Structure formats: structure tokens, C-alpha cells
Amino acid sequence: MGISLLVIGLIALYLLLSNVLPYAVIKPGKQSCTPSSHPLIEAIELEGADSIVLSGITLRADNPIGQILFVHGVGSCKEAYQDLMKYYARRGISTFAFDMRAHGSSGGRYATYGYREKKDIGQIVAWMRQTQPAELPLGIYGNSMGGAISIQATAEVEDIDFAIFESTFAYFPEIVNDYAERISYGLTMKWMVNWVLAKAGKIADFTPEEVAPEQAARHIDIPVLVAHGDADKRINISHARRIFKNLSSTDKELYIVEGGGHADLGIVGGEAYWRKLDGFIMRNVSPEKVE
């Protein structure tokens, strides 16, 4: 009986590691998002890097002075940025947001945390340049997974002029190990997580070890603001410090929100946080409008 239970347990563990947990990595749960009722927010669709359909929204400013692309976090969606889009439209900045592949209303079966999404961003940025005045400064604002995607894209896409990377990770396999340890209360072993990652990479046809924002940061020399909370339990602030250190930009700043967690920087940081972000954006689109 004891041997039978052991065999059953090993089979169950194998099935869990090979056929359940890998999909939890590459098929994150989707957040329920309410479509905008704002009359000026337009729905748009673009073709991604490998012909998937990307679902987006845009709010174009009258006589724009700049444009921003918002990139959401894991499980989130484009609608998460509607309030910021409305705010910046009033400030004269055209804004865009898209559901990343395997999120929201976009196509794609699997999330690859930047491995393929960086190419999608390249397609989106090219489209933004074609549909807005060519001389407009173009920024990217990425949160969590969106920050990791934005770093990897910014390292390759020449048409991005400034960037905000918020609450993001430095190396994908490391953060997956951290997540697994936290949710299992330290019961997982590294070989298990690496097994799951290898299987996830095989299923989604990507190489998890190549998702390394801290390495991509070495190829970024535009103005960058890195923001992170020092109480972030999901992604330790050490990730932000590593990314910041590797940036080749001479115009860069690491802004730490004391007591800030993973998803509450705007709440904990309050007015000072939003002033910092707004000042950085306005300085890069139109210095004379900085208040």
C-alpha cells in the first residue's frame, strides 16, 4: 500500500509539473475590464509581430505635443489606463493602450513576458508614428510585466524617446522562482520551478532565460524613470536597482516609494508620486509646459 501511494504521488507530481503549472505561467488569468464609455476613446486593432490581432484603444489630443503608449501588467488589460489617458489628453498628449497577447481582447494563446511582446510593441510604435505627427516625442509607460516588456522593446525600438518602468522584474526565471517560493510558503524546490519553466517555454515556443530586462537595459540610452516600492512583496526592489544600474542613459532616475507595494504606488506615494511621473513626462514632451 505504501509503495502504491508513493507511485501515485510521484505520478501526480509529474502531471502537476508537466501539464498544469506550465500553463499557469503562460496563460495568466484575465482581469474583467469594463469598456470605456468615453465618447472620444476609439477602439483600434493592429496586427502583431506574428500576425496575431492586438486590441487597443486610443484617445487623441487636439494639437498634440506628444504621445504615450501604456503597457499593462500580467492579467490586466488596456482599460486599466483609461483615467490616465483622459488626463493626458487634456494635457495635449495622445495616448494609446493595448491588450498584450493572451490578454483582454487580443489574440495569441500564450504570454511570453516580452520575448514576443517586444516585437508587438515595435509594430504598435511604428503605427503610432504613422498616425501622429512624426516629430512628436513618443514615450512608453510599462507596469510590472508591462515594464519588463517595455524595457525589452525600448532596447530594440529606435522610435521611443523616453520611458517609465514601474514595479518590474530584472530576470524572468528568478521572479518565477520567487513567486513559487512565496505562494508555496517555501515548499517548492528550484529544480521543480525550472522544470515548469522549461515545459512552459516548450509549450509556448520561447526561451524563458532570454527574458532578461536587466540585460536589455544596457542598450537603453534615452531618458528613463524607474519607479518601485520598497515594500513590494511580489517583486523585490533589488530588481529595480539592478535595472537602473544597467541603464546606459545619462538622464535616468530611480524613484522609490517608501512603504509602496506592488500595485499601490499611486495610493501610497500620493500626490508626490503623480507629480514625479507627470513632471518627467511633461519635461520630455514639452519642457516649457512643466509646472
Side-chain angles (χ1 to χ4, degrees), residues 151 165 168-170 213-214 217-218 220 224-227 237-256:
I151 293 171
F165 306 135
T168 196
F169 60 84
E214 66 181 333
R218 299 180 186 277
I220 297 175
V224 174
L225 175 64
V226 178
I237 194 171
S238 61
H239 287 260
R241 296 187 192 281
R242 285 154 52 187
I243 289 166
F244 180 77
K245 180 180 178 181
N246 281 358
L247 287 167
S248 295
S249 312
T250 55
D251 182 354
K252 62 180 182 178
E253 180 177 357
L254 174 60
Y255 187 79
I256 299 172

Side-chain angles (χ1 to χ4, degrees), residues 40-78:
L40 298 181
I41 290 184
E42 308 169 37
I44 49 179
E45 286 189 347
L46 293 180
E47 188 175 283
D50 48 6
S51 300
I52 68 167
V53 176
L54 300 172
S55 174
I57 52 177
T58 178
L59 182 52
R60 304 172 195 269
D62 293 329
N63 303 312
I65 59 173
Q67 51 183 331
I68 298 175
L69 172 61
F70 294 102
V71 189
H72 66 74
V74 67
S76 190
C77 56
K78 58 187 180 296

Side-chain angles (χ1 to χ4, degrees), residues 161-182:
D161 298 311
F162 62 95
I164 298 172
F165 306 135
E166 184 181 68
S167 303
T168 196
F169 60 84
Y171 185 50
F172 183 56
E174 179 184 347
I175 204 62
V176 173
N177 269 278
D178 289 349
Y179 267 60
E181 183 176 358
R182 188 180 72 254

Side-chain angles (χ1 to χ4, degrees), residues 86-250:
K86 296 171 189 175
Y87 172 79
Y88 279 107
R90 294 193 296 270
R91 299 277 270 163
I93 298 174
S94 293
T95 55
F96 305 81
F98 283 81
D99 291 329
M100 292 293 95
R101 58 175 60 216
H103 285 78
S105 301
S106 286
R109 296 178 65 190
Y110 305 119
T112 64
Y113 299 85
Y115 186 89
R116 285 199 170 79
E117 290 85 350
K118 63 187 176 185
K119 301 296 183 183
D120 296 334
I121 296 294
Q123 298 284 88
I124 294 168
V125 168
W127 177 83
M128 290 170 64
R129 285 296 189 191
Q130 293 168 5
T131 56
Q132 292 281 285
E135 71 279 3
L136 290 184
L138 188 155
I140 191 166
Y141 182 150
N143 167 264
S144 192
M145 177 193 75
I149 291 170
S150 298
I151 293 171
Q152 293 168 82
T154 303
E156 296 189 0
V157 179
E158 295 182 357
D159 269 341
I160 297 173
D161 298 311
F162 62 95
I164 298 172
F165 306 135
E166 184 181 68
S167 303
T168 196
F169 60 84
Y171 185 50
F172 183 56
E174 179 184 347
I175 204 62
V176 173
N177 269 278
D178 289 349
Y179 267 60
E181 183 176 358
R182 188 180 72 254
I183 65 176
S184 70
Y185 298 98
L187 297 178
T188 56
M189 290 179 278
K190 192 170 183 177
W191 71 264
M192 292 181 179
V193 180
N194 291 340
W195 178 296
V196 169
L197 268 178
K199 186 68 174 179
K202 186 174 182 180
I203 295 168
D205 190 25
F206 81 111
T207 307
E209 293 77 13
E210 292 185 15
V211 180
E214 66 181 333
Q215 296 304 320
R218 299 180 186 277
H219 304 285
I220 297 175
D221 59 5
I222 60 173
V224 174
L225 175 64
V226 178
H228 213 103
D230 64 4
D232 190 334
K233 295 182 180 179
R234 296 186 186 179
I235 301 177
N236 188 274
I237 194 171
S238 61
H239 287 260
R241 296 187 192 281
R242 285 154 52 187
I243 289 166
F244 180 77
K245 180 180 178 181
N246 281 358
L247 287 167
S248 295
S249 312
T250 55

Side-chain angles (χ1 to χ4, degrees), residues 19-33:
N19 298 297
V20 178
L21 295 180
Y23 288 96
V25 175
I26 56 180
K27 290 182 73 70
K30 294 184 179 181
Q31 177 179 316
S32 177
C33 297

